[in-house]
Amino acid sequence: MTATITGAGLTEVTVDDLVDLARGAAVLGTGGGGDPYVGRLLAEAALREHGPVRLVAPDDLPTDACVVPVAMMGAPTVMVEKTPSTELVGHAVTALAEHLGITPTHVACIEAGGVNSTFPLVAAAQLGLPLVDGDGMGRAFPELQMVLATLDGIACTPMSISDEKGNTGVLRTVDNRWAESLARSMTVTMGCSAIISNYVMTGAQAKSALVHGTLSLCVAIGRAVSAARSAHTDPVAAVVGAIGGAVLHTGKVVDVIRRTTTGFARGEAVVAGADGDLVLHFQNEHLMAMRDGAPVVTTPDLIIVLDQDTGEPVTTEALRFGHRVCVLAAPADERWHSPEAIELVGPRYFGYDTDPVRVMT
């Protein structure tokens, strides 16, 4: 049995939906958000043990709901070899709830991504809670403060942070950027990946601060790829249609420079094609695409790399020499283009000397 899709989105997620959901989440994750295969395996184990997870649209949340997000923090390159247990994911939520003396009513995704859209399923299944059909970004960004909740004045802390060794801490910081700085240091000490729970929200806050329908969209993207393959049509075109994006470039990866520093996977990749080279700059997520030394598309819009033949999303840690790919761009949630948001996630924040360049679709 697969999830039912209505006009309001998914009503539940079952094991049968996970391949499509993880694939679609990795598309929206813009190269980051973790390995979709790892995230899918952990979610599958949790759903097989505990059963399907009910989804609730943000508009259907009670005003006084207690919404608790959960996510992986750190370098995706490390998590491929240091996979957390399913128990650790739920523990991050319960540790924060116990510290605050609250009773969570819903779990939420803080970002879209192959892991960070599936780990909340693990926590929701373990705790017997519904999951909100939305996320805090509509894509993935590398730092904790880079969520729409920050623009709404919602505090990142108190937040919990846990590792596979049994260490758990709770942070209280003066603002969301300090939460990123201190939690990043702890994550590096914990082995460059940890499980966190933060941005506790009421139902009213979640309705405003979340991007609505993210998980429904993830499944729709994944199903579009599956349908295209079954019909022997172009799966890349199917993704473009599902996200309202455009193809920037098609070619072969001829160079990748990648390093894990300060808890991030940083680097660049060169994709050679018929119309020249496209250079991708990333910090966990793709942040800028350049041609002939000029930016073509930059953050906050989405830059997505797909396998040319299968339409499968390629994360930044999986980019390899010789890989034939298509590079897509898609518009971000319009809230990310406000002046306040550009200060938070625009190219200059990441050290690129350019104003934002928006995708043309």
Side-chain angles (χ1 to χ4, degrees), residues 4 10 26 29 42 46 86 118 197 228 234 260:
T4 302
L10 293 172
L42 290 178
T86 55
T118 49
S197 186
D234 184 2
T260 300

Side-chain angles (χ1 to χ4, degrees), residues 10-35:
L10 293 172
T11 58
E12 65 173 14
V13 175
T14 73
V15 170
D16 294 335
D17 300 304
L18 291 177
V19 170
D20 288 330
L21 190 152
R23 177 187 293 137
V27 169
L28 296 181
T30 61
D35 188 297

Side-chain angles (χ1 to χ4, degrees), residues 273-304:
D275 55 349
D277 292 349
L278 189 74
V279 181
L280 302 173
H281 297 265
F282 57 85
Q283 179 179 317
N284 288 5
E285 290 77 31
H286 294 294
L287 299 173
M288 183 165 66
M290 301 185 70
R291 183 180 285 119
D292 298 327
V296 180
V297 175
T298 70
T299 175
D301 280 347
L302 286 67
I303 300 169
I304 301 155

Side-chain angles (χ1 to χ4, degrees), residues 1-6 9-21 47 52-55 121 133 215-220 223:
M1 177 181 178
T2 57
T4 302
I5 295 183
T6 68
L10 293 172
T11 58
E12 65 173 14
V13 175
T14 73
V15 170
D16 294 335
D17 300 304
L18 291 177
V19 170
D20 288 330
L21 190 152
L47 266 61
V53 168
R54 183 168 66 90
L55 293 188
L121 280 165
D133 187 6
L215 296 177
S216 294
L217 177 58
C218 289
V219 172
R223 288 182 181 174

Side-chain angles (χ1 to χ4, degrees), residues 88 90 150 170 198 216 260 313 315 343 347:
L88 182 59
T150 294
V170 175
N198 53 7
S216 294
T260 300
T315 58
E343 288 187 15

Side-chain angles (χ1 to χ4, degrees), residues 37-331:
Y37 180 69
V38 173
R40 175 168 65 84
L41 289 183
L42 290 178
E44 182 175 325
L47 266 61
R48 289 195 185 282
E49 180 178 357
H50 302 286
V53 168
R54 183 168 66 90
L55 293 188
V56 176
D59 283 338
D60 294 333
L61 287 169
T63 301
D64 60 350
C66 181
V67 180
V68 184
V70 63
M72 186 277 291
M73 182 176 186
T77 46
V78 171
M79 201 203 66
V80 171
E81 298 183 7
K82 192 168 80 80
T83 305
S85 66
T86 55
E87 291 76 18
L88 182 59
V89 181
H91 171 72
V93 175
T94 56
L96 181 57
E98 289 172 2
H99 175 82
L100 295 176
I102 60 174
T103 301
T105 60
H106 299 76
V107 176
C109 305
I110 206 63
E111 70 174 0
V115 159
N116 281 337
S117 291
T118 49
F119 275 14
L121 280 165
V122 175
Q126 288 178 340
L127 302 175
L129 296 175
L131 179 64
V132 180
D133 187 6
D135 82 296
M137 305 177 193
R139 50 160 297 159
F141 280 118
E143 297 184 8
L144 288 186
Q145 76 276 14
M146 296 174 176
V147 291
L148 293 169
T150 294
L151 301 179
D152 274 13
I154 299 170
C156 177
T157 66
M159 66 171 281
S160 65
I161 182 167
S162 301
D163 68 10
E164 77 287 352
K165 305 173 192 68
N167 298 308
T168 297
V170 175
L171 283 174
R172 289 180 180 268
T173 60
V174 295
D175 60 30
N176 292 357
R177 292 200 181 192
W178 269 107
E180 159 64 27
S181 179
L182 295 177
R184 189 68 54 180
S185 297
M186 293 179 69
T187 299
V188 171
T189 301
M190 288 175 163
C192 284
S193 70
I195 304 299
I196 61 172
S197 186
N198 53 7
Y199 287 103
V200 175
M201 292 177 253
T202 65
Q205 289 174 317
K207 290 177 188 180
S208 172
L210 297 182
V211 177
H212 294 208
T214 303
L215 296 177
S216 294
L217 177 58
C218 289
V219 172
I221 294 168
R223 288 182 181 174
V225 172
S226 299
R229 288 184 192 168
S230 297
H232 303 290
T233 57
D234 184 2
V236 173
V239 174
V240 171
I243 64 176
V247 177
L248 289 180
H249 194 69
T250 299
K252 182 175 76 172
V253 178
V254 296
D255 193 19
V256 181
I257 300 171
R258 180 174 45 237
R259 57 205 175 274
T260 300
T261 58
T262 62
F264 298 106
R266 302 174 187 263
E268 63 182 47
V270 180
V271 182
D275 55 349
D277 292 349
L278 189 74
V279 181
L280 302 173
H281 297 265
F282 57 85
Q283 179 179 317
N284 288 5
E285 290 77 31
H286 294 294
L287 299 173
M288 183 165 66
M290 301 185 70
R291 183 180 285 119
D292 298 327
V296 180
V297 175
T298 70
T299 175
D301 280 347
L302 286 67
I303 300 169
I304 301 155
V305 178
L306 303 180
D307 182 276
Q308 182 178 340
D309 296 323
T310 66
E312 289 292 337
V314 182
T315 58
T316 54
E317 71 267 21
L319 281 170
R320 297 290 184 273
F321 175 84
H323 205 153
R324 296 191 177 275
V325 299
C326 289
V327 182
L328 313 184

